[in-house]
Amino acid sequence: LMKGVVLAGGLGKRLEPLTRITNKHLLPVYNRPMIYYPLDTLVEAGITEIMIVTGGYCAGEFLRLLGNGSECGLRDLHYTYQRGEGGIAEALALAEHFVNGDRMVVMLGDNLVEQSIRPHVESFAAQERGAQILLKEVEDPRRFGVVEVRDGRVVSIEEKPAHPKSNLVVTGIYLYDAQVFDIIRTLTPSERGELEITDVNNAYIRRGQMASRVLEGWWTDAGLPETLYRATTLVRERELKRRHAARPEPVTA
């Protein structure tokens, strides 16, 4: 069984003043709140039990919006609360009891993808143990965790480097086995005072248990005004294409 964890905490300071009165993940992306997109991605990949980790003062709005998740095609939707700004790895640690020894797909709540991640989930299910990260080639790698791949193996991940070793970056989709919680317990906070997900991934690399695959189609985060706008544009184009494809051809005499 594979569980899903969507990380939707944080204060979204880079989107001020939009986030002054709501959680970033409740902001609109085209015609729906942002949180729907990672949920859709996980459900489409066959994951029916998901936990949302949220925080801040709008946490109750997620329950009001999503209820028990049945509208999204979920068997169960769970919620937990992260106090303060302790980082992605700290947020993930809150899902340990929910995951209960199973494997998991972890997705940042502000990440949107064009295509299904089901093939990646299936390849991870066949992996003996460890982790898998989904990568994407970008034009501005300095904004992300940059991956060095040698002979098909991930050898390092460097967070926001001044001189990136490649154009391949870590997207906000991580596949882990239950070892991840033991790894998080060994971490110390970074200079930002947070437990960093890059440190988790590098721990798996040191164990020789990190696989990687490159995402097909577009991928974007939505944590900046520019990328929020980009996400809206990309989703709108995709929806219009789908509607056009679903429209019956006119009958000609």
Side-chain angles (χ1 to χ4, degrees), residues 98-216:
F98 162 70
V99 171
N100 195 25
D102 292 324
R103 292 185 174 209
M104 71 209 84
V105 184
V106 181
M107 193 159 174
L108 301 188
D110 67 349
N111 271 234
L112 291 85
V113 294
E114 179 181 15
Q115 296 188 14
S116 174
I117 63 164
R118 188 181 278 265
H120 309 303
V121 172
E122 287 170 355
S123 86
F124 179 59
Q127 197 174 310
E128 194 181 331
R129 61 181 177 178
Q132 180 178 294
I133 45 176
L134 301 186
L135 312 178
K136 193 72 190 154
E137 207 159 310
V138 298
E139 287 173 11
D140 54 343
R142 283 178 296 206
R143 244 175 18 93
F144 304 98
V146 175
V147 178
E148 190 184 357
V149 179
R150 237 182 274 149
D151 304 322
R153 292 185 70 84
V154 180
V155 292
S156 75
I157 302 170
E158 207 179 344
E159 197 58 41
K160 298 183 177 67
H163 306 288
K165 290 178 178 167
S166 77
N167 279 3
L168 273 179
V169 304
V170 181
T171 67
I173 306 172
Y174 316 96
L175 298 90
Y176 295 128
D177 64 7
Q179 291 181 88
V180 72
F181 299 113
D182 295 326
I183 289 171
I184 292 169
R185 278 188 272 278
T186 69
L187 299 184
T188 51
S190 66
E191 289 168 17
R192 300 194 296 173
E194 297 184 2
L195 299 184
E196 304 287 350
I197 204 73
T198 297
D199 293 342
V200 171
N201 293 333
N202 278 321
Y204 274 111
I205 292 168
R206 285 195 297 276
R207 293 177 181 200
Q209 295 178 14
M210 175 61 83
S212 69
R213 287 167 68 103
V214 177
L215 275 174
E216 298 288 318

Side-chain angles (χ1 to χ4, degrees), residues 29-30 218 227-238:
V29 174
Y30 187 43
W218 55 253
T227 56
L228 180 61
Y229 177 76
R230 179 167 180 250
T232 296
T233 308
L234 291 168
V235 169
R236 178 180 174 271
E237 283 169 6
R238 183 180 66 184

Side-chain angles (χ1 to χ4, degrees), residues 2-10 23-26 33-45 47-55 59 62 65-66 69 72 74 76-82 87-96 98-99 103-112 117 172-176 181 197:
M2 199 99 63
K3 301 267 177 67
V5 181
V6 177
L7 303 179
N23 180 294
K24 167 174 80 174
H25 307 88
L26 298 172
M34 193 189 296
I35 189 70
Y36 276 80
Y37 297 96
L39 291 175
D40 281 355
T41 297
L42 294 174
V43 169
E44 199 282 327
I47 292 160
T48 56
E49 277 191 73
I50 294 175
M51 171 171 271
I52 293 175
V53 183
T54 185
F62 286 92
L65 177 69
L66 300 165
C72 300
L74 288 168
D76 264 320
L77 183 56
H78 303 253
Y79 301 87
T80 191
Y81 187 84
Q82 180 187 22
I88 293 171
E90 186 198 78
L92 176 55
L94 297 170
E96 183 170 10
F98 162 70
V99 171
R103 292 185 174 209
M104 71 209 84
V105 184
V106 181
M107 193 159 174
L108 301 188
D110 67 349
N111 271 234
L112 291 85
I117 63 164
I173 306 172
Y174 316 96
L175 298 90
Y176 295 128
F181 299 113
I197 204 73

